[in-house]
């Protein structure tokens, strides 16, 4: 029983059509539907479920909520009891609160982010199918990202939020960044076999630093850089490498100013793997292994 993965992110957009164009033509996701409120649903070519990204028309940028997929409806009962036992207010949302999604639990984490837990979603299937598939489909647009990978959330109390995800939602920690006094600056948490599904960083309450799309390898990261540049998309950092997670990366911004990342590489953690610790004096090398320093935008821009 438990959470299987980060199922989706729901993002506020200042210009909905510009955002749809960007996420289809640059990122390479496909539109799978639009609801009566104008929200647009998208997925990557290698994702089975109806959507992993929702674009919401708004007068401000940022994260509306994240969705976490659990294994079965019984898990919703389990987590409702566990969360309410810890004093968390939980609301049950009926099937259809998002297009294609079954019944869901709705609550707020200690960092001020809204979270949905759900067990069921309409399955559309991947572009290559599940019978004798090709390695990738023809006709991909832009970067051609196969799927959503992870999200980095900011919280005033990073330790409290980290404890919430680990102790109440069952996440494991792969890496952490601490001050010289041992206080937590950031944590990288996982439920799958990737180095992080969710990361938490000390920062402005309720804000998001970035969300990320998976790519295969360094060649795909290089191609992504070309696509980003050819589409005049503002690059924040990269292409480069992380020390933390060992991932290959580029950071850039969507038309509303929400930070995106393409991520490749990393390593496979296990629940019994020791937590890798980075210290504040090595933060530059930890975040950007080649440059070994942070730029101002990377540490100050949140949505």
């Amino acid at each position: 029983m438990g959470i299987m993965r980060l199922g989706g992110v729901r993002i506020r957009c200042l210009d909905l059509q510009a955002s749809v164009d960007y996420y289809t033509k640059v990122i390479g996701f496909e539109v799978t539907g639009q609801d009566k409120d104008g929200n647009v649903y998208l997925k990557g070519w290698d994702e089975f479920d109806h959507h992993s990204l929702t674009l919401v028309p708004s007068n401000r940028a940022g994260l509306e909520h994240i969705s976490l997929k659990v294994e079965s409806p019984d898990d919703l009962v389990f987590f409702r009891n566990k969360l309410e036992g810890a004093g968390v207010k939980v609301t049950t949302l009926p099937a259809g609160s998002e297009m294609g999604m079954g019944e869901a639990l709705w609550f707020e984490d200690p960092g001020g982010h809204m979270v949905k837990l759900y067990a069921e979603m309409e399955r559309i299937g991947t572009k290559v199918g599940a019978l004798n598939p090709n390695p990738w489909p023809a006709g991909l647009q832009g970067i051609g990202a196969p799927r959503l990978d992870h999200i980095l959330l900011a919280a005033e109390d990073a330790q409290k939020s980290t404890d919430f995800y680990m102790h109440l939602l069952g996440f494991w920690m792969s890496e952490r960044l601490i001050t010289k006094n041992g206080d937590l600056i950031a944590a990288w948490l996982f439920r799958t076999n990737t180095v992080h599904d969710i990361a938490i960083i000390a920062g402005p309450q309720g804000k998001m630093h970035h969300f990320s799309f998976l790519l295969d390898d360094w060649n795909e990261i290089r191609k992504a850089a070309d696509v980003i540049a050819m589409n005049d998309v503002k690059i924040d950092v990269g292409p480069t490498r992380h020390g933390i997670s060992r991932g290959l990366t580029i950071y850039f911004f969507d038309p509303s100013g929400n930070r995106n990342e393409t991520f490749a590489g990393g390593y496979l953690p296990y629940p019994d793997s020791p937590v890798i610790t980075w210290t504040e004096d090595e933060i530059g090398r930890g975040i950007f292994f080649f440059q070994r320093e942070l730029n101002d935008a990377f540490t100050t821009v949140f949505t």
Side-chain angles (χ1 to χ4, degrees):
M1 296 177 67
I3 291 167
M4 291 195 294
R5 63 176 180 272
L6 173 65
V9 296
R10 193 174 179 99
I11 300 298
R12 296 189 294 265
C13 302
L14 304 179
D15 184 327
L16 183 64
Q17 189 56 55
S19 295
V20 171
D21 290 344
Y22 165 84
Y23 282 105
T24 55
K25 296 175 183 177
V26 177
I27 301 301
F29 267 34
E30 63 175 310
V31 173
T32 58
Q34 185 169 15
D35 64 26
K36 60 182 176 57
D37 297 318
N39 304 314
V40 177
Y41 298 84
L42 305 96
K43 66 181 284 293
W45 65 262
D46 207 25
E47 294 176 318
F48 287 91
D49 287 352
H50 181 272
H51 65 274
S52 62
L53 174 63
T54 309
L55 305 180
V56 178
S58 179
N59 60 4
R60 62 192 177 106
L63 176 71
E64 189 167 279
H65 71 254
I66 66 170
S67 298
L68 303 173
K69 190 172 187 181
V70 300
E71 290 188 38
S72 75
D74 290 341
D75 288 322
L76 297 180
V77 178
F78 170 79
F79 281 114
R80 184 184 186 99
N81 291 337
K82 191 171 186 181
L83 289 162
E84 289 182 336
V88 179
K89 181 181 178 181
V90 180
T91 301
T92 299
L93 301 177
S97 64
E98 289 188 22
M99 185 177 285
M101 181 182 285
E103 182 180 278
L105 302 183
W106 176 255
F107 55 91
E108 185 175 343
D109 74 11
H113 309 97
M114 301 308 299
V115 181
K116 274 185 183 177
L117 298 186
Y118 69 99
E120 298 172 337
M121 183 178 284
E122 177 187 351
R123 306 203 89 186
I124 293 177
T126 73
K127 282 288 189 182
V128 295
L131 179 64
N132 304 322
N134 290 321
W136 48 270
L140 291 176
Q141 292 197 78
I143 293 168
R147 68 172 176 86
L148 181 71
D149 191 69
H150 67 265
I151 190 166
L152 174 53
L153 305 174
E156 289 179 0
D157 190 332
Q159 186 67 64
K160 187 175 182 180
S161 282
T162 298
D163 290 344
F164 177 89
Y165 280 94
M166 294 184 71
H167 299 158
L168 292 182
L169 298 181
F171 279 76
W172 301 287
M173 183 186 295
S174 58
E175 305 202 29
R176 64 177 183 162
L177 174 66
I178 60 173
T179 68
K180 62 181 179 180
N181 296 322
D183 296 326
L184 188 70
I185 299 172
W188 286 258
L189 310 176
F190 68 99
R191 279 293 304 181
T192 62
N193 61 349
T194 63
V195 69
H196 57 336
D197 297 293
I198 293 176
I200 310 284
I201 190 169
Q205 187 79 347
K207 299 293 186 179
M208 173 186 70
H209 186 270
H210 71 269
F211 66 100
S212 183
F213 301 96
L214 179 72
L215 293 178
D216 282 345
D217 53 31
W218 182 252
N219 287 332
E220 290 296 305
I221 292 288
R222 179 199 54 76
K223 176 190 171 187
D226 290 341
V227 171
I228 291 165
M230 287 189 291
N231 283 275
D232 297 321
V233 173
K234 179 177 173 53
I235 291 179
D236 186 13
V237 182
T240 188
R241 182 186 184 96
H242 291 308
I244 298 168
S245 82
R246 306 176 197 163
L248 308 167
T249 179
I250 311 171
Y251 291 96
F252 48 101
F253 294 96
D254 78 3
S256 298
N258 297 304
R259 185 187 279 106
N260 291 165
E261 181 193 24
T262 52
F263 182 89
Y267 59 91
L268 302 181
Y270 300 99
D272 64 342
S273 298
V275 175
I276 296 172
T277 297
W278 291 78
T279 53
E280 187 176 15
D281 59 307
E282 291 288 339
I283 188 172
R285 190 169 69 95
I287 303 300
F288 297 127
F289 190 74
F290 298 155
Q291 295 90 339
R292 305 198 174 203
E293 61 182 10
L294 305 180
N295 68 32
D296 289 339
F298 192 81
T299 56
T300 60
V301 175
F302 295 84
T303 56

